[in-house]
């Protein structure tokens, strides 16, 4: 049994094709078929997959969601995202119908509120799961805990994600050292995710490389007063450098 993680697949959401992620698919149907195929190429029926929210767009009827879930291998643990929580259609009645359609044990094993933080213990690591990125919680920046990782979604590969990275870079600048407590975005559109569920081991490698890349672009004269310049620096260097560093560790 292997445990995987992924977030923000946005089945049925046309906006991720152009407005937000500019995903490299010609149609929604192509995107959905590709994500299902890549999921099943990795995940077996005995595996667990933690979905960190926003798997479906609010317009997706429960019957289509049931059809998609029925094609995906593994036991799913679902943290509700903001799209599911804030839209009446996808709050209580929608998920209740979905669970009835598939059977609770066959499709979604557990529903977790986006308001809560789920903490797993896996191979000596404390894994903090939430739909949203958190700059700090009781363990994220605890210097005494070197085996903690925070997995999140929601922000896609957006300026909000760059701001979160910038905050980590600022902390490294303050501490003058690489932050050993890790965090990583598991949104499916991230280059290292490539629309594929990833294992904890893979994500730990990404998070470590991410910290090294951030620290390597820290400059002595970084004053964090020209916000736009810092964002441009991250957009120019961070993603490309990180992808080059992890491509040999992860089958992209």
């Amino acid at each position: 049994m292997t445990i995987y993680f992924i977030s923000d697949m946005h089945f049925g959401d046309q906006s991720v094709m152009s407005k937000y992620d500019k995903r490299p698919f010609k149609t929604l149907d192509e995107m959905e078929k590709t994500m299902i195929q890549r999921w099943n190429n990795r995940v077996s029926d005995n595996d667990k997959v933690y979905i960190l929210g926003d798997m479906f767009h609010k317009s997706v009827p429960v019957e289509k969601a049931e059809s998609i879930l029925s094609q995906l291998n593994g036991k799913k643990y679902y943290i509700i995202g903001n799209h599911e929580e804030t839209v009446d259609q996808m709050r209580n009645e929608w998920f209740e119908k979905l669970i009835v359609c598939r059977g609770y044990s066959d499709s979604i094993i557990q529903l977790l509120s986006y308001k809560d933080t789920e903490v797993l213990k896996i191979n000596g690591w404390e894994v903090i799961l939430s739909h949203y990125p958190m700059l700090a919680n009781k363990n994220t920046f605890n210097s005494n805990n070197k085996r903690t990782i925070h997995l999140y979604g929601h922000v896609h590969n957006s300026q909000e994600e760059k701001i979160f990275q910038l905050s980590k870079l600022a902390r490294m600048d303050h501490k003058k050292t690489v932050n050993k407590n890790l965090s990583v975005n598991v949104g499916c559109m991230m280059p290292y995710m490539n629309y594929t569920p990833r294992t904890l081991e893979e994500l730990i490698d990404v998070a470590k490389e991410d910290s090294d890349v951030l620290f390597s672009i820290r400059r002595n004269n970084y004053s964090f007063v020209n916000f736009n310049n810092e964002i441009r620096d991250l957009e120019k260097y961070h993603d490309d450098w990180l992808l080059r560093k992890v491509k040999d560790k992860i089958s992209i």
Side-chain angles (χ1 to χ4, degrees), residues 124-166:
W125 281 81
E126 188 166 66
V127 185
I128 302 169
L129 306 178
S130 66
H131 179 58
Y132 300 104
M134 295 183 289
L135 291 178
N137 56 59
K138 70 183 182 70
N139 287 317
T140 303
F141 293 134
N142 179 358
S143 61
N144 294 322
N145 189 342
K146 305 298 185 184
R147 294 176 65 82
T148 296
I149 185 168
H150 168 42
L151 307 183
Y152 62 91
H154 180 65
V155 291
H156 295 225
N157 195 9
S158 66
Q159 186 168 356
E160 287 182 289
E161 166 68 2
K162 298 300 185 294
I163 292 170
F164 188 66
Q165 296 295 335
L166 188 60

Side-chain angles (χ1 to χ4, degrees), residues 9-32 34-35 156 189 195:
M9 300 177 79
H10 282 255
F11 284 104
D13 189 350
Q14 184 68 43
S15 65
V16 298
M17 305 286 289
S18 55
K19 182 179 178 181
Y20 293 110
D21 300 336
K22 296 183 178 179
R23 298 187 181 184
F25 308 104
K26 294 180 180 178
T27 65
L28 274 176
D29 184 61
E30 180 189 351
M31 180 185 80
E32 291 168 1
T34 299
M35 290 196 295
H156 295 225
M189 76 300 299
Y195 307 96

Side-chain angles (χ1 to χ4, degrees), residues 64-222:
K64 180 174 180 178
E66 184 275 331
S67 174
I68 290 172
L69 283 168
S70 70
Q71 298 176 63
L72 295 172
N73 295 338
K75 299 175 174 61
K76 296 108 182 160
Y77 293 74
Y78 200 106
I79 293 178
I80 297 173
N82 57 294
H83 281 278
E84 292 94 356
E85 183 66 22
T86 58
V87 180
D88 287 339
Q89 176 197 6
M90 298 187 73
R91 192 151 43 204
N92 296 324
E93 183 180 357
W94 194 93
F95 276 111
E96 287 175 3
K97 286 182 179 178
L98 181 60
I99 290 168
V100 169
C101 278
R102 281 294 298 157
Y104 201 75
S105 62
D106 292 334
S107 181
I108 297 175
I109 302 300
Q110 185 178 9
L111 286 175
L112 306 166
S113 172
Y114 84 105
K115 298 176 182 178
D116 298 330
T117 301
E118 185 74 4
V119 180
L120 308 178
K121 301 285 188 179
I122 303 175
N123 297 331
W125 281 81
E126 188 166 66
V127 185
I128 302 169
L129 306 178
S130 66
H131 179 58
Y132 300 104
M134 295 183 289
L135 291 178
N137 56 59
K138 70 183 182 70
N139 287 317
T140 303
F141 293 134
N142 179 358
S143 61
N144 294 322
N145 189 342
K146 305 298 185 184
R147 294 176 65 82
T148 296
I149 185 168
H150 168 42
L151 307 183
Y152 62 91
H154 180 65
V155 291
H156 295 225
N157 195 9
S158 66
Q159 186 168 356
E160 287 182 289
E161 166 68 2
K162 298 300 185 294
I163 292 170
F164 188 66
Q165 296 295 335
L166 188 60
S167 70
K168 294 195 293 184
L169 198 156
R171 179 175 175 82
M172 294 176 191
D173 186 74
H174 173 68
K175 293 291 187 180
K176 308 301 181 188
T177 186
V178 175
N179 177 18
K180 298 300 184 183
N181 293 280
L182 306 173
S183 61
V184 65
N185 184 345
V186 299
C188 68
M189 76 300 299
M190 300 304 288
Y192 47 82
M193 296 295 296
N194 199 27
Y195 307 96
T196 306
R198 298 296 179 190
T199 66
L200 179 62
E201 291 75 17
E202 289 173 324
L203 294 170
I204 289 169
D205 283 340
V206 170
K208 288 179 176 178
E209 298 290 1
D210 181 49
S211 290
D212 289 341
V213 168
L214 284 173
F215 191 67
S216 70
I217 66 175
R218 183 186 67 82
R219 298 175 299 193
N220 290 331
N221 62 347
Y222 239 92

